[in-house]
Amino acid sequence: MAVLAQSALGDTIQRQGITVARVPAYSPHAVAEHAVALMLALNRRIPQAWSKTRGGNFSLVGQMGFDMVGKRVGVVGTGLIGSIVARILKLGFQCDVVAHDVHKNTGLEDIGVRYVELDELFRTSDVITRTTTSRGCTRLCSTAPTT
């Protein structure tokens, strides 16, 4: 039997005979840490390095990422998971974190995270992470630049 976590396609999937389960709670820290791990994997080009070394190519050409310290990271959506991501990046990696959300998290402002308009976040960030539901992103990202 196939089981999927609840998604926006839940009703459609259920009509295909696949059980859809809702996970009422999951470790928000695990989700946030995984998001940061994926960010680091992309920055350091870990998937490409793995592929190259499997083929016997140990050259570092094209493999160098950049240090996260001091980089501006934009966090779109500062709910529970987004606020943890912002804290990890601000306090752990010493990034300059800017954020955008319709509801400001004063706890993030207390540690130096600055809320900015979405166009500024897109224009000035070295790295951007979205920690919203697809519905939330529709609301938050409707003014995202297309170029």
Side-chain angles (χ1 to χ4, degrees), residues 72-78 98-102 104 114-125 127-132 136-147:
R72 174 166 286 178
V73 180
V75 178
V76 178
T78 56
V98 293
H100 181 82
D101 200 320
V102 293
K104 291 183 179 179
R114 213 167 37 89
Y115 279 86
V116 298
E117 292 299 319
L118 201 56
D119 62 336
E120 180 181 344
L121 184 146
F122 285 123
R123 189 177 64 255
T124 63
S125 296
V127 177
I128 299 171
T129 182
R130 184 195 99 189
T131 55
T132 65
C137 191
T138 301
R139 181 172 30 92
L140 289 172
C141 301
S142 60
T143 59
T146 56
T147 58

Side-chain angles (χ1 to χ4, degrees), residues 3-7 14 19-25:
V3 178
L4 297 175
Q6 185 175 15
S7 71
Q14 281 181 320
T19 302
V20 177
R22 180 178 178 279
V23 179

Side-chain angles (χ1 to χ4, degrees), residues 29-71:
H29 289 277
V31 174
E33 290 168 9
H34 189 69
V36 173
L38 292 173
M39 186 184 302
L40 294 174
L42 290 173
N43 173 23
R44 296 299 179 174
R45 298 174 174 89
I46 291 172
Q48 296 88 339
W50 182 83
S51 179
K52 284 173 67 172
T53 56
R54 294 270 304 180
N57 180 351
F58 296 94
S59 169
L60 293 178
V61 174
Q63 289 304 127
M64 301 303 290
F66 53 84
D67 290 346
M68 292 293 291
V69 65
K71 294 295 184 207

